Amino acid sequence: MNRRENLKLLFTGSVGTGLMLAGCSPEEQKLPATAALSGGTKGYRTDEERKRDQELLSETFFTDEELKKLDILVDIIMPKDSESPSATEVGVPEFMEFIMKDMPHYQTPMRGGLMWLDFEADEKFGKPFLEISKDQVIEIVELVAWPDKATPEYEGAVKWFNMLRDLTCSGYFSTEAGWNYMGYKGNTPNVWDGVPQEVMNKHGFTLPEKYVPIYLKPEDRGTVAQWDDEGNLIG
């Protein structure tokens, strides 16, 4: 099982805990006014929220060099494959840029980790991180990507890479491509037809005949229930 599959299993069923990039997509911006919550704006953002979003988007945290490092790393964590695009293709570095300003406590550890890459690359290969080969990049990543295998001197770098991996996955699985990759469908209508007959048979249970007529039948799923004035179900 590769890293992408591990991440897929990790996030299936828990994607709702991921960070969501604030702001409205072009589709949301086209929503009619009736689609907005009372007191809110299109895309379910209040005026204050949208103003703050724009203020954060007008600022810049990462340098060009730091963004190049992020491009390399996030695509190692979530590479492109036959089923879905890479992390950079869905805007994960841009997501991180926003998060660094929206949640400033990430700034110092993130910048420190990106600086560490240059230190480690210089120590091992005598070059800055952006000048080493792909194989050498992987060699550095392997030092910190597997917490159980990392040596004690890389404890801090491991924590940083864990943070980077969490942010990468949060950004990736907050996109349509991420949802599609996991097969996430959100809230969908569902029905329950009771315990399957084969399970009932296996355990020696039978459905009491007197209840059969009042149980929901598949053919009646589209029928709207009717109630009398006293709240009694009549059909």
Side-chain angles (χ1 to χ4, degrees):
M1 182 178 292
N2 60 31
R3 294 176 187 171
R4 179 181 283 275
E5 289 302 317
N6 280 323
L7 289 165
K8 182 178 179 181
L9 291 174
L10 173 65
F11 276 80
T12 299
S14 60
V15 70
T17 62
L19 302 171
M20 298 295 287
L21 180 59
C24 302
S25 67
E27 291 77 15
E28 288 175 323
Q29 293 172 8
K30 295 178 181 177
L31 290 172
T34 53
L37 295 174
S38 176
T41 58
K42 295 177 181 179
Y44 312 106
R45 307 290 291 168
T46 66
D47 290 335
E48 291 77 11
E49 289 172 329
R50 289 176 64 84
K51 180 180 178 180
R52 182 172 183 274
D53 291 347
Q54 291 305 313
E55 290 174 352
L56 295 181
L57 290 170
S58 69
E59 302 169 1
T60 300
F61 175 74
F62 289 120
T63 66
D64 290 343
E65 182 177 294
E66 288 171 334
L67 283 173
K68 290 177 181 178
K69 293 176 182 178
L70 282 177
D71 285 349
I72 293 170
L73 294 171
V74 299
D75 278 354
I76 289 174
I77 295 170
M78 292 298 297
K80 180 177 182 178
D81 63 14
S82 60
E83 296 182 41
S84 53
S86 67
T88 55
E89 290 178 306
V90 297
V92 168
E94 290 84 354
F95 167 86
M96 290 188 187
E97 168 71 21
F98 185 89
I99 292 299
M100 292 302 110
K101 295 169 293 191
D102 188 45
M103 302 179 181
H105 64 275
Y106 281 114
Q107 293 182 4
T108 297
M110 176 60 77
R111 181 149 280 159
L114 294 173
M115 292 173 63
W116 169 81
L117 292 172
D118 283 326
F119 172 81
E120 193 67 22
D122 185 63
E123 284 284 302
K124 288 187 171 299
F125 310 112
K127 297 179 181 179
F129 182 78
L130 291 177
E131 294 181 13
I132 62 178
S133 68
K134 292 181 180 179
D135 288 342
Q136 290 170 335
V137 167
I138 295 298
E139 187 174 332
I140 290 178
V141 170
E142 291 285 348
L143 294 172
V144 295
W146 313 101
D148 293 340
K149 298 179 181 180
T151 54
E153 64 265 30
Y154 289 106
E155 180 180 358
V158 167
K159 291 180 180 179
W160 165 73
F161 194 82
N162 284 344
M163 178 189 71
L164 178 69
R165 179 163 42 210
D166 289 346
L167 288 172
T168 299
C169 294
S170 293
Y172 194 92
F173 290 110
S174 293
T175 68
E176 183 177 359
W179 300 335
N180 290 339
Y181 182 79
M182 292 189 299
Y184 178 70
K185 300 184 182 301
N187 294 328
T188 56
N190 194 14
V191 294
W192 186 62
D193 294 329
V195 179
Q197 189 59 49
E198 59 269 23
V199 175
M200 298 274 283
N201 295 340
K202 179 180 178 180
H203 295 281
F205 289 101
T206 57
L207 192 64
E209 289 294 330
K210 65 178 181 179
Y211 292 127
V212 172
I214 63 175
Y215 279 177
L216 177 65
K217 300 177 181 179
E219 59 271 21
D220 294 332
R221 287 174 183 166
T223 303
V224 178
Q226 298 179 356
W227 308 81
D228 63 22
D229 293 338
E230 297 179 357
N232 298 310
L233 181 64
I234 57 177

